[in-house]
C-alpha cells in the first residue's frame, strides 16, 4: 500500500505495457498435458501447396476463438524465421560472419556476440512488436526483459477492443541457437516460447540502470529507483515456469528449414517450401519413439559429469542398459539440431551438469523450458537429471539448468541411475549430497512437483528448517490433490 501511495503522489511517469486486466491466479499448477483444443480436420487440401502453416493456424483459430491471437503471433514468428533463414544462408556472401563489431561485444552471459546474434535478435523482436499483442520479451541477447508494447513509433488505435488485447503476451526466445556454428555451415536454429501475461507490467525508462536499482536501491525514491521497483512486475510476468507456456517451438536451418510448433495439443512440424514461400505440414502429430538407440552429449566433458551419468552412458555404450544393445553417439553442438533428430529418431539428448558448470549451460527460460514443452507434447520427457524441467520456476531471466531429454524410456532409465546414486541420505557420499543440494536450490518452498513424470503434481518442495530453502520433497496424498 505504501508503494501505491508513493505512486499516487509522485510525478514519475511510468510506461504501462498493457492496460490492467483481471489477473489469473499465479499459483495455479498448470501442466503440459494435452489441452482441450478443437483440432480441425482438413478433408480438402490444395494439391499444389499442401497444408500450409498459414491455413493450419487459420483453421485452429476458427475452431478455437480463444486462440485467435496466436494465429497472429505464430505468423509473425514464422516470417521472422524465413528472414533469419535467408540471413544465415547468405551470411558468407553478405559478410555477416564473425563477431559483432569485429569482436569485443559481450552479452549478459559473458559470451562474445556474433554479428548474426544481434541481427536475428532484432528481426524477432520487431516481428513480435509489430503484432501489437506482445507486452514483454526476454531474449538471450537482451540483458533484461524488454518492453515492446508502448512504442512511440507504432500507430495507436484507441479502440477498447484493441486496448484490451494489447500487450497480452510475453515471448521468450533464443534468436540463433548454435550461432558459433554459422561460420562452418553447421545447422543452427531459433527457439521460442509464449506465455500469457497476467501481470500489469511497468518498465523503467531506457536511461535507468535496471540491474543496479534492483540490487542496490537508493535511500531516496528518485525516479529511476521507483521505476526499478515497479519493473519487478515485468520480471514477474517473464519468470514463469514451463507449465505456464501456451505455445512453443523451434525453427531449424539445415538441409531444409523446419518449423516445429506446439499449442499444447501435440507437435506439428512444417517444412519451408521455397517455391511458394510457405511452411508446409510434413510431419503431423509427431510422436517420439518410446526408446531410441542414439545418445547425444558432448563427451569432451565426460570426465567432469556427475558419476551416475558417466555410469549410465558407459552402460549404453557397452549394451548393458535396459535396451540390451549398444547405443550410437551423435552430437551436432546445436540444441535445435540435436533435439530435432531426437524427436524423429528417438534416444536421449543432454547438456548435463559438470564440475565446471554445475547448473549446465542451457538457459531455463528461453531454451530448456520451451524445448521441454515441445518434447513432452510429443510424448517424451525432459529433466535436469532428477527434476522435471517444466516444474522449475525461473529465478532470473538467464538462469541455467542441466538438460536431459528425449524418449520416455531412455530418460526414465537415466533418472534411475541418479535416483540410485542419491537414494538414501544416510549412505550418500559427498558427491551424491552435492547433487541433491543442487536440485533443491532450483526449487521454492511450497512448490508443487511432478516426480512421477506423468504431468500431474504429486509432491511438494518443503522447507522443514524454516530457513527459506528447500531441504526435502514430500509426496502429497491423492486426496489432498483433489
Amino acid at each position: 500500500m505504501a508503494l501505491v501511495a508513493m505512486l499516487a503522489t509522485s510525478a514519475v511517469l511510468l510506461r504501462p505495457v498493457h492496460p490492467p486486466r483481471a489477473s489469473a491466479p499465479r499459483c495455479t499448477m498448470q501442466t503440459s498435458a494435452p489441452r482441450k483444443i478443437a483440432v480441425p480436420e482438413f478433408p480438402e487440401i490444395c494439391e499444389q501447396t499442401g497444408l500450409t502453416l498459414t491455413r493450419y493456424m487459420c483453421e485452429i483459430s476458427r475452431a478455437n476463438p480463444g486462440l485467435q491471437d496466436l494465429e497472429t503471433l505464430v505468423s509473425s514468428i514464422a516470417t521472422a524465421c524465413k528472414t533469419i533463414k535467408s540471413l544465415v544462408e547468405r551470411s558468407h556472401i553478405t559478410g555477416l560472419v564473425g563477431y559483432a563489431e569485429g569482436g569485443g561485444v559481450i552479452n549478459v552471459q559473458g559470451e562474445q556476440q556474433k554479428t548474426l546474434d544481434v541481427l536475428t535478435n532484432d528481426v524477432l523482436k520487431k516481428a513480435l512488436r509489430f503484432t501489437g499483442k506482445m507486452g514483454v520479451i526476454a531474449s538471450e541477447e537482451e540483458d533484461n526483459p524488454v518492453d515492446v508494447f508502448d512504442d512511440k513509433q507504432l500507430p495507436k488505435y484507441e479502440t477498447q477492443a484493441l486496448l484490451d488485447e494489447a500487450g497480452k503476451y510475453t515471448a521468450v526466445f533464443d534468436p540463433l541457437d548454435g550461432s558459433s556454428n554459422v561460420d562452418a555451415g553447421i545447422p543452427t536454429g531459433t527457439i521460442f516460447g509464449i506465455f500469457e501475461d497476467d501481470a500489469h507490467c511497468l518498465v523503467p525508462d531506457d536511461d535507468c540502470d535496471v540491474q543496479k536499482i534492483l540490487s542496490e536501491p537508493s535511500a531516496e525514491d528518485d525516479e529511476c529507483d521507483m521505476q526499478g521497483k515497479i519493473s519487478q512486475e515485468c520480471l514477474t510476468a517473464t519468470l514463469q515456469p514451463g507449465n505456464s507456456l501456451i505455445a512453443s517451438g523451434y525453427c531449424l536451418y539445415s538441409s531444409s528449414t523446419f518449423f516445429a510448433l506446439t499449442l499444447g495439443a501435440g507437435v506439428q512440424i512444417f517444412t519451408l517450401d521455397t517455391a511458394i514461400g510457405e511452411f508446409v505440414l510434413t510431419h503431423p502429430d509427431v510422436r517420439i519413439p518410446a526408446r531410441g538407440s542414439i545418445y547425444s552429449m558432448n563427451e569432451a566433458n565426460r570426465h567432469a559429469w556427475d558419476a551416475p551419468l558417466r555410469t549410465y552412458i558407459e552402460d549404453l555404450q557397452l549394451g548393458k542398459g535396459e535396451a540390451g544393445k549398444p547405443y550410437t553417439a551423435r552430437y551436432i553442438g546445436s540444441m535445435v539440431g540435436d533435439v530435432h533428430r531426437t524427436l524423429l529418431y528417438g534416444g536421449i539428448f543432454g547438456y548435463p551438469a559438470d564440475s565446471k558448470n554445475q547448473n549446465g549451460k542451457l538457459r531455463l527460460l528461453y531454451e530448456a523450458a520451451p524445448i521441454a514443452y515441445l518434447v513432452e507434447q510429443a510424448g517424451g520427457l525432459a529433466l535436469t537429471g532428477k527434476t522435471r524441467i517444466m516444474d522449475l520456476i525461473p529465478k532470473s531471466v538467464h538462469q541455467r539448468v542441466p538438460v536431459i531429454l528425449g524418449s520416455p524410456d531412455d530418460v526414465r532409465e537415466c533418472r534411475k541411475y541418479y535416483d540410485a546414486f542419491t537414494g538414501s541420505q544416510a549412505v550418500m557420499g559427498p558427491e551424491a549430497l552435492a547433487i541433491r543440494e543442487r536440485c533443491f536450490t532450483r526449487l521454492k518452498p511450497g512448490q508443487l512437483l511432478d516426480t512421477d513424470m506423468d504431468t500431474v503434481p504429486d509432491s511438494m518442495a518443503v522447507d522443514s528448517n524454516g530457513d527459506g530453502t528447500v531441504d526435502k520433497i514430500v509426496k502429497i496424498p491423492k486426496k489432498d490433490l483433489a
Side-chain angles (χ1 to χ4, degrees), residues 425 436-437 440 461-467 469-473:
Q425 186 172 358
R436 183 172 175 271
E437 183 63 26
F440 286 159
V462 174
D463 167 21
S464 62
N465 295 322
D467 60 2
T469 62
V470 173
D471 52 45
K472 66 171 61 175
I473 295 172

Side-chain angles (χ1 to χ4, degrees), residues 210-237:
V210 179
Q211 294 291 356
K212 181 177 180 180
I213 56 184
L214 287 179
S215 60
E216 304 174 17
S218 64
E220 299 180 1
D221 289 317
D222 61 21
E223 181 172 328
C224 279
D225 187 35
M226 290 185 64
Q227 292 189 50
K229 291 175 181 177
I230 302 303
S231 73
Q232 291 281 13
E233 293 291 338
C234 281
L235 288 174
T236 300

Side-chain angles (χ1 to χ4, degrees), residues 81 100 148 154 169 198 226 237 280 323 348 360 363 372 382 388 429 439 455:
C81 288
V148 294
L154 294 180
Y169 299 93
D198 62 5
M226 290 185 64
V280 178
I348 190 165
R363 272 61 58 132
R388 180 171 171 258
C439 291
T455 71

Side-chain angles (χ1 to χ4, degrees), residues 28-269:
T28 300
M29 177 65 181
Q30 298 180 7
T31 75
S32 61
R35 195 183 297 161
K36 299 296 183 182
I37 291 178
V39 180
E41 296 181 2
F42 301 90
E44 184 179 0
I45 297 174
C46 177
E47 295 178 357
Q48 304 305 314
T49 64
L51 179 56
T52 64
L53 176 61
T54 300
R55 185 184 172 203
Y56 178 84
M57 289 305 302
C58 179
E59 296 294 344
I60 287 287
S61 178
R62 290 174 61 189
N64 303 271
L67 299 182
Q68 288 179 353
D69 286 347
L70 289 182
E71 180 183 357
T72 302
L73 295 176
V74 170
S75 174
S76 296
I77 292 171
T79 299
C81 288
K82 295 174 192 176
T83 304
I84 294 171
K85 175 256 185 191
S86 178
L87 289 171
V88 170
E89 196 173 73
R90 302 181 66 246
S91 59
H92 285 269
I93 298 172
T94 56
L96 295 179
V97 294
Y99 292 105
E101 299 180 18
V105 179
I106 308 297
N107 65 16
V108 70
Q109 276 80 241
E111 302 165 341
Q112 284 201 75
Q113 286 184 313
K114 291 275 192 173
T115 302
L116 282 172
D117 285 328
V118 178
L119 289 177
T120 55
N121 184 70
D122 190 57
V123 167
L124 258 175
K125 184 164 65 173
K126 287 180 177 176
L128 290 166
R129 178 164 63 99
F130 295 155
T131 66
K133 300 182 183 299
M134 194 60 57
V136 181
I137 65 166
S139 163
E140 179 179 10
E141 307 306 328
E142 303 284 351
D143 291 359
N144 304 294
V146 176
D147 166 12
V148 294
F149 170 66
D150 189 20
D151 193 305
K152 296 180 177 60
Q153 297 181 16
L154 294 180
K156 300 296 189 294
Y157 303 106
E158 301 295 338
T159 64
Q160 189 59 44
L162 288 176
L163 285 174
D164 287 344
E165 295 302 316
K168 183 178 177 181
Y169 299 93
T170 293
V172 295
F173 56 82
D174 180 352
L176 195 60
D177 170 64
S179 58
S180 61
N181 290 330
V182 169
D183 295 0
I186 297 173
T188 55
T190 295
I191 302 170
F192 65 89
I194 298 174
F195 297 96
E196 190 164 12
D197 179 5
D198 62 5
H200 184 199
C201 175
L202 297 147
V203 180
D205 291 332
D206 293 337
D207 56 357
C208 293
D209 186 337
V210 179
Q211 294 291 356
K212 181 177 180 180
I213 56 184
L214 287 179
S215 60
E216 304 174 17
S218 64
E220 299 180 1
D221 289 317
D222 61 21
E223 181 172 328
C224 279
D225 187 35
M226 290 185 64
Q227 292 189 50
K229 291 175 181 177
I230 302 303
S231 73
Q232 291 281 13
E233 293 291 338
C234 281
L235 288 174
T236 300
T238 306
L239 301 181
Q240 300 187 52
N243 283 323
S244 296
L245 282 162
I246 61 171
S248 78
Y250 64 75
C251 193
L252 171 63
Y253 314 111
S254 185
S255 59
S256 295
T257 301
F258 299 97
F259 189 90
L261 174 69
T262 182
L263 303 176
V267 174
Q268 318 298 326
I269 298 181

Side-chain angles (χ1 to χ4, degrees), residues 206-421:
D206 293 337
D207 56 357
C208 293
D209 186 337
V210 179
Q211 294 291 356
K212 181 177 180 180
I213 56 184
L214 287 179
S215 60
E216 304 174 17
S218 64
E220 299 180 1
D221 289 317
D222 61 21
E223 181 172 328
C224 279
D225 187 35
M226 290 185 64
Q227 292 189 50
K229 291 175 181 177
I230 302 303
S231 73
Q232 291 281 13
E233 293 291 338
C234 281
L235 288 174
T236 300
T238 306
L239 301 181
Q240 300 187 52
N243 283 323
S244 296
L245 282 162
I246 61 171
S248 78
Y250 64 75
C251 193
L252 171 63
Y253 314 111
S254 185
S255 59
S256 295
T257 301
F258 299 97
F259 189 90
L261 174 69
T262 182
L263 303 176
V267 174
Q268 318 298 326
I269 298 181
F270 301 78
T271 303
L272 181 62
D273 183 344
T274 56
I276 62 173
E278 283 273 13
F279 283 104
V280 178
L281 183 63
T282 52
H283 300 72
D285 301 318
V286 175
R287 302 299 295 176
I288 189 170
R291 184 180 289 279
S293 59
I294 298 172
Y295 70 91
S296 180
M297 300 182 192
N298 184 358
E299 291 197 77
N301 298 323
R302 180 173 180 162
H303 65 283
W305 288 346
D306 295 334
L309 183 62
R310 291 199 305 271
T311 304
Y312 168 68
I313 293 299
E314 181 177 339
D315 285 352
L316 288 187
Q317 293 172 327
L318 298 175
K320 295 181 179 180
E322 293 177 0
K325 61 180 181 180
Y327 275 39
T328 300
R330 294 284 186 273
Y331 185 71
I332 298 172
S334 167
M335 185 187 190
V336 172
D338 284 314
V339 167
H340 184 74
R341 182 196 58 248
T342 304
L343 274 177
L344 298 181
Y345 297 169
I348 190 165
F349 163 81
Y351 207 124
D354 57 44
S355 57
K356 181 180 178 182
N357 302 290
Q358 294 189 349
N359 287 308
K361 292 280 285 184
L362 297 175
R363 272 61 58 132
L364 170 60
L365 185 63
Y366 46 81
E367 291 175 327
I371 292 296
Y373 187 36
L374 196 83
V375 168
E376 285 197 1
Q377 286 297 316
L381 294 174
L383 309 176
T384 63
K386 287 179 65 69
T387 308
R388 180 171 171 258
I389 289 173
M390 294 285 286
D391 288 340
L392 296 179
I393 302 171
K395 296 182 178 180
S396 66
V397 173
H398 303 289
Q399 177 185 347
R400 299 176 190 263
V401 292
V403 172
I404 295 174
L405 58 80
S407 295
D409 290 352
D410 286 314
V411 175
R412 288 182 187 277
E413 181 181 359
C414 180
R415 182 179 170 179
K416 290 177 183 177
Y417 283 74
Y418 272 92
D419 288 345
F421 190 74

